[in-house]
Amino acid sequence: MDMRKLVGRNLARLRREKGLTQEELALRSGFSQQYLSGLENGRRNPTIVTIHELAMTLGVSHLDLLAIDTDSR
């Protein structure tokens, strides 16, 4: 399992569920839109600090960004 893709899928899903664009999440989180795009596309390798900060910005648990969905197995 590619954890970068897993985190990216979860980030994109949670962001959309919160009704945010990448640009809006960038403004709220302090990360650039380009970086967030790279995360969502599984091209970036986020640190645990990044995962924590994005989770806090989205108002979710960091575990939500790491959750394995049964469709990805």
Side-chain angles (χ1 to χ4, degrees):
M1 167 183 316
D2 186 335
M3 289 301 292
R4 290 173 297 216
K5 289 182 181 178
L6 176 67
V7 169
R9 277 195 305 270
N10 287 334
L11 176 60
R13 178 182 50 78
L14 291 165
R15 175 183 57 76
R16 286 190 303 268
E17 286 176 1
K18 299 292 181 176
L20 298 172
T21 64
Q22 286 181 349
E23 292 83 7
E24 290 167 330
L25 182 56
L27 287 172
R28 292 181 185 195
S29 68
F31 294 105
S32 73
Q33 184 273 327
Q34 293 83 3
Y35 180 73
L36 294 174
S37 176
L39 284 175
E40 288 188 5
N41 288 303
R43 293 188 313 262
R44 305 289 285 196
N45 191 20
T47 66
I48 191 66
V49 172
T50 298
I51 290 171
H52 172 75
E53 291 184 13
L54 287 171
M56 295 294 291
T57 300
L58 290 168
V60 299
S61 168
H62 62 283
L63 297 175
D64 293 326
L65 289 169
L66 302 172
I68 298 171
D69 59 357
T70 54
D71 294 336
S72 68
R73 285 187 183 176

